Amino acid sequence: MTSHSISYYENQLRQQIMNNLYNENFISLQNYVKELIQENTDNNKNITYAYLNIKRELVGSISNNDDQTL
């Protein structure tokens, strides 16, 4: 697994998100990831890591330090 490959797929996912904002032909991120994996079976793990990273960016996460400030 290379960070370059993960970064590439993160950019692909970001581009798809932007396309969804501007086009009427919406495709869910999960379906897009499934298509990417079908087209690039050798990079299954990298695509999955990229998806999780993008999902984390979109949803956010709370660390233990953030819990203490609530």
Side-chain angles (χ1 to χ4, degrees):
M1 167 176 44
T2 65
S3 61
H4 175 69
S5 180
I6 293 171
S7 182
Y8 170 78
Y9 287 112
E10 286 176 351
N11 289 331
Q12 293 293 314
L13 294 170
R14 285 185 187 102
Q15 185 63 42
Q16 180 59 36
I17 292 168
M18 295 305 292
N19 289 342
N20 283 340
L21 292 174
Y22 293 108
N23 294 329
E24 293 180 12
N25 299 331
F26 179 82
I27 179 172
S28 74
L29 202 53
Q30 289 178 331
N31 287 338
Y32 184 68
V33 167
K34 287 177 185 178
E35 288 178 16
L36 279 177
I37 290 173
Q38 287 175 349
E39 294 171 2
N40 306 285
T41 54
D42 293 343
N43 290 323
N44 180 13
K45 284 186 180 183
N46 292 342
I47 295 168
T48 302
Y49 280 117
Y51 169 72
L52 292 174
N53 289 341
I54 295 299
K55 182 178 172 184
R56 200 171 296 121
E57 282 181 23
L58 291 172
V59 176
S61 62
I62 299 175
S63 67
N64 289 337
N65 292 337
D66 292 338
D67 289 340
Q68 294 172 356
T69 59
L70 295 176

